[in-house]
Amino acid sequence: MEINRYLLSILVDNEPGVLSRIVGLFSGRGFNIDSLSVAKTTDPNVSVITMVTYCDIHIIEQIKKQLHKLINVITVNDLTEKKYVERQLALIKVHAKTEKRAEIMRIVDIFRSKIVDVGHAHFTIEISGDSGKIEAFTSLMQPMGIVEIASTGAIALGRENGKK
């Protein structure tokens, strides 16, 4: 069984309890949610849930079938099977010792991120991009001493010619 990353975009009715039912579906079956993001769409009655999960192909098919059965779910779009644009936003606070500040600022420039707060001992850095970019940046900041990280879940939209 091969475990893969799946990115689901789920259109749902914008009503109380919908997110709870979807999360309950996952927890009730022992499926893990790696990241979760919810926002209204251009239609105020509809929300989009972007969800990342890791599982095998049989489990994701089961998840999609179960999601389609939920009454407030309008569509389930598995973006993993398509071309899409994905972004996450992360705020990363790192130790900024005097001898490491130039190196941190160089890495921030290379990744086109930005320092959004400066203190005597710390920098807070804002970075956006796909999960690979965030992971690569985080691994380079690790030796500097990461104090804390706050991150949104993945958000994504299918490309115009979205078939792989």
Side-chain angles (χ1 to χ4, degrees):
M1 236 181 306
E2 185 179 351
I3 303 297
N4 294 310
R5 179 180 188 266
Y6 292 94
L7 181 64
L8 301 177
S9 178
I10 308 161
L11 286 180
V12 298
D13 295 329
N14 184 12
E15 294 179 6
V18 173
L19 180 61
S20 175
R21 282 190 284 281
I22 290 173
V23 171
L25 182 148
F26 273 74
S27 68
R29 287 161 180 81
F31 305 146
N32 189 37
I33 298 171
D34 191 65
S35 81
L36 178 70
S37 177
V38 183
K40 283 193 281 188
T41 63
T42 54
D43 180 348
N45 299 315
V46 176
S47 291
V48 62
I49 298 173
T50 307
M51 184 179 290
V52 175
T53 188
Y54 288 85
C55 59
D56 68 50
I57 186 75
H58 302 295
I59 298 295
I60 197 65
E61 291 303 324
Q62 187 181 355
I63 288 171
K64 289 190 291 189
K65 285 178 187 170
Q66 294 295 319
L67 286 171
H68 280 293
K69 290 180 183 177
L70 294 177
I71 195 156
N72 296 107
V73 172
I74 300 166
T75 61
V76 178
N77 193 4
D78 184 356
L79 293 175
T80 312
E81 301 168 346
K82 301 175 180 167
K83 292 180 182 175
Y84 60 92
V85 177
E86 176 190 350
R87 293 292 181 266
Q88 282 182 252
L89 173 69
L91 294 173
I92 303 171
K93 185 183 289 183
V94 296
H95 290 289
K97 296 176 184 165
T98 306
E99 66 273 10
K100 295 287 184 181
R101 286 183 177 234
E103 185 178 352
I104 292 169
M105 291 168 48
R106 202 170 27 255
I107 294 170
V108 165
D109 281 346
I110 290 168
F111 279 81
R112 297 186 196 154
S113 53
K114 60 183 172 184
I115 297 171
V116 293
D117 188 47
V118 177
H120 293 289
H122 302 106
F123 284 161
T124 300
I125 301 162
E126 173 189 312
I127 183 167
S128 67
D130 62 22
S131 58
K133 179 180 178 181
I134 305 280
E135 287 173 18
F137 184 81
T138 303
S139 72
L140 289 174
M141 286 295 123
Q142 204 74 40
M144 311 300 171
I146 294 176
V147 178
E148 61 182 312
I149 297 176
S151 177
T152 65
I155 56 171
L157 289 175
R159 291 191 182 263
E160 188 172 311
N161 187 6
K163 295 187 178 183
K164 274 191 173 177

